[in-house]
Amino acid sequence: MTLELEEYGCTIDELMVVTFSRAMDNDTKAFNGAVSFIPVCGYLLARRTHAPGLVWAASSIAIDADPPSIPESTLSDALWGGASMLATSAHDFWSYASGARYNTFAFRGAQIDAWGNVNNTVIGPYDAPKVRLPGGGGMADLGSMIPKIYLWNTVHNPRVFVEKLDFRSGIGWGDGGDHRERLGLPGGPQLCITNLCVFDFHPESHRMRVASLHPGVTVEEVQEATGFEVLVPDGEIPTTDRPTEEELRILREEVDPTGARLREF
Amino acid sequence: MDKRMGIEQAVESIPDGATVALGGLSMNSAPMAYVREIVRQEKRDLTVVAIVAGMSVDWLIAGGCVKKVVSGLVSFEGLGLAPSFRMAVQSGAVEIEEYSEDLLICRLRAEAWNLPFVPTKAGLGTDLIPLHEQTGTIRAEVDRSTGEHYVACTRLPVDVALVHAHAADEIGNVRVDPKLIWMDNEIVNASQRTLVSVERFIDHGDVVAEPHRTSYPQFMVSGVSLAKLGAYPSSCFPEYGHHTAFFQEYSTAASDPESFSAFFADRIVKPETWEDFIRSCGGDEMATSIRRSAA
């Protein structure tokens, strides 16, 4: 894998950021939570390239922030430089989120299932956990409220991508099919970007499906690293698009000169 | 009425078994001076409500003060899991009643507004719904007229809210400066009593001269205590950032449970006053390093 990714002239973190960035557009109105370096880099890169109208609230607070670099915490006020408004209260934030004025959010769970539901609560039973995780935080809220959900994970293995979550902290496509629609929830997960591949979701069953493989990765390797059966599209599976020189330059020099994104690896 | 009181005196008013809500958000603006004093006074069996928390909840658990945590998230973010919280929940020593951020906010609003419940779409389709089925604190329901699904969030009564802010006058008008109040106002509004630690006292005349800068009016506040760097090691925007080195030192110490209790007793509990504690953490030199260098 490494050899062929080298041919792209970039590293896996850069490929993930660029792939995330390209999924954003001028209609994206996003915000971020904790430990969200890949999405934060992605929003900033998209805004500097193809989506200058993208809205991003740093730490869900600092609207239109344009920080000179990315600090060690994506909830830190060091991320808020250049903002045009600090959305100061829960009242502002939840008004924008509940009404889907903010339309894009990205999750990274300790466990992710085939429908893009996520767990950040416990490994093992809730009442007697093997590992007590931080908790879902806003996952349960934003999974239900936000129409365009993106998932990412830098550690694609069967312990993360599981058949059954130990706890559903946040809803993706729920039980699949029209579950979200039946609950009256807008949209749902769009993509899941990992260190091996990009998944989209089958339009009817809403199960994860391989959309593209990163250079050098085979579909067998993805299946082996995934605890549920992955869907594959008909025909040849494309390779994840190559980042341009310009995207890589902007990411490395302007968006994240200190390499904060590597904290996720 | 003069509501100024020492940190010790303020904390003495909190009984064992109380439901205490902590302000702050993750690494930001937690009422750490009060929290440390709760540990020092060996309060017991507290129910701690903290929407998104970290070090504050970890200290209270390490101090043996907590029966139950009611929260959406407890962690040190990129600096790791909150070690005492994690161990205590895994061993069953402390109970965790998990909600999401908005579900908690809605429960606090139901309490503040004296309503049977506040509805939200948060949490629909998640395991938080069956988790609370027996207690009924949140319930998935369908609106009779529109057929819309929602979650009914019932009242969450709180005895005491502890929050940190920038300034207060002697009668308890509190200024969060700038008015960036995280979710602290939600717990203040839901609590029977609110205690506020502040970086500085200001004259009542200053408050009257600029009333638009007041965040909590005096009638909502029971006591105000002076605590310089009172949110340390969390941040107090825009004055100082969180202290990364302290989080790292604490997490490293916690990786050895045998020696951690000695570390905790010596490093956190032993200094007599908040000023002593800050001095032991590096005093002025440390303060200079975190002031306006939040990162």
Side-chain angles (χ1 to χ4, degrees), chain A residues 11-114:
Chain A
T11 49
I12 187 62
D13 51 295
E14 293 167 338
L15 183 65
M16 288 181 70
V17 169
V18 169
T19 304
F20 188 96
S21 160
R22 289 181 180 183
M24 302 299 118
D25 59 33
N26 272 322
D27 186 44
T28 299
K29 293 174 187 66
F31 53 98
N32 70 273
V35 203
S36 300
F37 296 97
I38 300 280
V40 164
C41 288
Y43 299 136
L44 285 166
L45 178 60
R47 211 170 57 187
R48 280 175 158 80
T49 53
H50 62 281
L54 176 146
V55 172
W56 166 60
S59 318
S60 306
I61 288 169
I63 297 172
D64 294 336
D66 189 19
S69 64
I70 296 170
E72 69 179 21
S73 156
T74 55
L75 292 185
S76 163
D77 57 46
L79 196 65
W80 304 350
S84 48
M85 171 173 167
L86 300 182
T88 58
S89 74
H91 180 83
D92 291 330
F93 176 78
W94 292 108
S95 299
Y96 307 152
S98 304
R101 305 300 181 102
Y102 283 145
N103 58 20
T104 301
F105 190 61
F107 288 150
R108 154 184 195 150
Q111 291 180 330
I112 302 176
D113 72 14

Side-chain angles (χ1 to χ4, degrees), chain A residues 109-193:
Chain A
Q111 291 180 330
I112 302 176
D113 72 14
W115 294 279
N117 303 300
V118 290
N119 170 24
N120 211 36
T121 297
V122 281
I123 302 297
Y126 182 89
D127 290 325
K130 190 162 148 245
V131 182
R132 172 65 213 192
L133 298 167
M139 281 178 170
D141 310 321
L142 302 165
S144 303
M145 294 169 180
I146 303 297
K148 288 186 178 176
I149 297 164
Y150 292 85
L151 300 140
W152 86 102
N153 207 297
T154 56
V155 191
H156 191 149
N157 69 39
R159 287 188 306 282
V160 173
F161 288 85
V162 296
E163 176 69 32
K164 185 161 173 33
L165 300 178
D166 290 335
F167 192 90
R168 189 190 286 173
S169 314
I171 188 170
W173 288 107
D175 302 337
D178 64 350
H179 190 197
R180 279 186 77 91
E181 206 182 324
R182 279 186 280 121
L183 289 172
L185 306 180
Q190 309 291 304
L191 296 176
C192 176
I193 299 167

Side-chain angles (χ1 to χ4, degrees), chain A residues 61 72-73 75 77-78 80 88 90 94 121 126 130-132 134-138 140-141 144-145 167-168 182-183, chain B residues 72-74 77 81 90 96 98 100-102 105 121-128 149 179 181-182 237 242 244 294-295:
Chain A
I61 288 169
E72 69 179 21
S73 156
L75 292 185
D77 57 46
W80 304 350
T88 58
W94 292 108
T121 297
Y126 182 89
K130 190 162 148 245
V131 182
R132 172 65 213 192
D141 310 321
S144 303
M145 294 169 180
F167 192 90
R168 189 190 286 173
R182 279 186 280 121
L183 289 172
Chain B
L73 187 144
V74 182
E77 274 183 53
L81 298 166
Q90 285 173 195
I96 166 84
E98 178 163 331
S100 65
E101 290 175 40
D102 193 48
I105 289 169
K121 297 207 172 176
L124 283 173
T126 71
D127 285 344
L128 291 172
H149 292 254
K179 216 165 181 168
I181 42 189
W182 311 111
F237 179 82
H242 71 261
T244 303

Side-chain angles (χ1 to χ4, degrees), chain B residues 18-83:
Chain B
T19 296
V20 177
L22 303 176
L25 175 81
S26 190
M27 315 281 271
N28 305 292
S29 210
M32 300 305 290
Y34 281 144
V35 164
R36 197 190 76 102
E37 186 58 27
I38 291 174
V39 173
R40 281 179 55 78
Q41 292 188 18
E42 301 182 352
K43 303 289 180 187
R44 290 292 176 261
D45 297 323
L46 300 178
T47 292
V48 176
V49 178
I51 301 172
V52 174
M55 193 63 85
S56 56
V57 168
D58 214 75
W59 281 8
L60 291 179
I61 289 178
C65 310
V66 181
K67 185 174 111 193
K68 181 159 81 172
V69 176
V70 180
S71 182
L73 187 144
V74 182
S75 87
F76 296 169
E77 274 183 53
L79 298 173
L81 298 166

